């Protein structure tokens, strides 16, 4: 059977016929975080390379327009940037400016007002690029995908008597010593249904109570815990027989939420 949610937690859903793709660009930060690593690294490299090249071209253009490139050997001439003799040196000066490396050989002079304005603009824009890209990488690295690898669910769920009540039960445990703070758990029954009016609802979601009324859904996940759903009159499994349960087409999705203690 094709699963709605895979065992590793990935939703087996593909979005098709999305026409308003510009909406992804309006939230560019989340879009970059959701990209695969190879595309994120490509955007990370291009963001810096393009800004370095762009400002390097402007520094070279300023030197060309002022005539600095025509007075390279004239020691009486005060250029906009000392020791800038071509596009390569302008590109290196752009990198040194944006990455705040000590100039040393190449340095801007005080006789170039347009260069001073450009220096301020590049410093401000460089800080914005750093904040945006480093923030994007930090959020991507700290995503909980890998932390979920040490959260283990039981391979099978069972239906059995517990305190003389029929219950659907499964176990969850955390392999790490660092605790998950404010952990809570909920379960959804994914099943297509047809309403009394004849409307067919594919993949309808129904809540399975795992202790919301009593607070048992808030977990102190220090040792493995058994999560129980009581099959009573409010349960969607109340009218389902064992024979029908084996043949019925449905899926139970369990969602565990919490905060990592260390981060």
């Amino acid at each position: 059977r094709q699963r709605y949610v895979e065992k590793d937690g990935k939703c087996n859903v593909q979005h098709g016929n999305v026409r308003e793709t510009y909406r992804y660009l309006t939230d560019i930060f989340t879009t970059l975080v959701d990209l695969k690593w190879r595309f994120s690294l490509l955007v990370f490299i291009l963001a810096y390379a393009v800004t370095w090249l762009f400002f390097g071209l402007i520094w070279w253009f300023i030197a060309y327009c002022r005539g600095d490139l025509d007075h390279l050997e004239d020691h009486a001439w005060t250029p906009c940037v000392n020791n800038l003799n071509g596009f390569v040196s302008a590109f290196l000066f752009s990198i040194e400016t944006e990455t705040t490396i000590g100039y040393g050989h190449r340095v801007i002079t005080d006789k170039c007002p347009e260069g001073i304005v450009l220096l301020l603009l590049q410093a401000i824009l460089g800080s914005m690029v750093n904040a945006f890209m480093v923030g994007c990488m930090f959020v991507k690295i700290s995503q909980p995908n890998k932390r979920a690898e040490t959260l283990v669910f039981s391979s099978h769920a069972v239906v059995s008597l517990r305190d003389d009540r029929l219950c659907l039960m499964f176990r969850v445990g955390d392999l790490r010593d660092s605790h998950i703070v404010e952990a809570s758990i909920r379960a959804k029954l994914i099943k297509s249904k047809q309403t009394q009016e004849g409307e067919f609802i594919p993949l309808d979601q129904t809540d399975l109570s795992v202790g919301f009324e009593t607070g048992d859904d808030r977990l102190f996940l220090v040792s493995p815990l058994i999560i129980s759903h009581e099959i009573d009159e409010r349960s969607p499994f109340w009218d389902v027989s064992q024979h029908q349960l084996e043949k019925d087409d449905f899926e139970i999705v369990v969602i565990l939420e919490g905060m990592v203690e260390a981060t």
Side-chain angles (χ1 to χ4, degrees):
R1 295 179 181 179
Q2 190 175 17
R3 298 182 59 89
Y4 184 65
V5 178
E6 299 292 346
K7 284 289 187 179
D8 58 0
K10 294 181 180 179
C11 295
N12 194 18
V13 177
Q14 294 182 352
H15 297 283
N17 197 25
V18 179
R19 298 178 180 178
E20 299 179 352
T21 54
Y22 67 90
R23 295 182 180 272
Y24 294 107
L25 297 178
T26 57
D27 187 13
I28 186 65
F29 186 83
T30 306
T31 301
L32 291 177
V33 171
D34 290 341
L35 287 176
K36 294 182 179 180
W37 266 109
R38 55 180 177 269
F39 297 117
S40 295
L41 292 176
L42 178 62
V43 172
F44 186 85
I45 294 172
L46 288 178
Y48 286 101
V50 169
T51 53
W52 293 341
L53 286 171
F54 174 73
F55 282 101
L57 182 63
I58 297 180
W59 284 114
W60 174 85
F61 183 73
I62 290 177
Y64 176 80
C65 292
R66 294 182 80 255
D68 295 343
L69 301 180
D70 298 328
H71 299 81
L72 296 178
E73 303 299 331
D74 187 358
H75 298 287
W77 179 268
T78 303
C80 183
V81 179
N82 287 329
N83 301 304
L84 193 153
N85 51 23
F87 177 74
V88 175
S89 59
F91 175 69
L92 293 176
F93 179 76
S94 174
I95 297 177
E96 293 169 355
T97 301
E98 192 164 329
T99 56
T100 64
I101 299 174
Y103 295 121
H105 188 64
R106 279 175 293 271
V107 61
I108 190 171
T109 62
D110 57 356
K111 303 299 183 181
C112 181
E114 60 271 26
I116 296 175
V117 174
L118 181 61
L119 179 68
L120 294 174
L121 289 177
Q122 187 171 4
I124 295 172
L125 182 62
S127 299
M128 294 174 62
V129 171
N130 287 333
F132 188 85
M133 298 309 303
V134 172
C136 178
M137 285 296 154
F138 176 78
V139 172
K140 193 169 183 63
I141 292 173
S142 61
Q143 281 183 317
N145 300 341
K146 298 303 179 182
R147 180 63 177 89
E149 296 292 335
T150 53
L151 288 172
V152 182
F153 288 84
S154 53
S155 300
H156 303 281
V158 297
V159 177
S160 178
L161 287 175
R162 195 182 199 192
D163 294 332
D164 203 26
R165 297 175 181 177
L166 200 61
C167 297
L168 169 68
M169 294 176 288
F170 57 91
R171 178 176 284 186
V172 59
D174 189 5
L175 301 181
R176 287 191 178 274
D177 294 332
S178 60
H179 305 317
I180 294 183
V181 183
E182 297 184 7
S184 63
I185 196 167
R186 53 196 175 101
K188 292 281 188 179
L189 174 66
I190 310 296
K191 182 181 178 181
S192 300
K193 77 170 187 179
Q194 190 169 4
T195 64
Q196 297 179 359
E197 294 78 16
E199 179 187 2
F200 178 74
I201 303 178
L203 303 176
D204 182 63
Q205 300 184 12
T206 305
D207 276 322
L208 294 180
S209 176
V210 289
F212 177 76
E213 297 85 358
T214 60
D216 292 338
D217 62 325
R218 295 186 289 273
L219 308 179
F220 183 49
L221 198 58
V222 177
S223 60
L225 299 176
I226 296 177
I227 311 300
S228 176
H229 164 68
E230 183 180 346
I231 302 179
D232 54 12
E233 294 85 352
R234 296 173 298 175
S235 173
F237 297 118
W238 178 250
D239 297 325
V240 180
S241 64
Q242 180 180 354
H243 180 71
Q244 183 181 356
L245 193 65
E246 295 173 352
K247 292 186 176 181
D248 211 349
D249 188 13
F250 65 92
E251 185 172 335
I252 297 176
V253 178
V254 179
I255 304 166
L256 177 65
E257 296 175 316
M259 294 181 291
V260 178
E261 184 182 37
T263 57

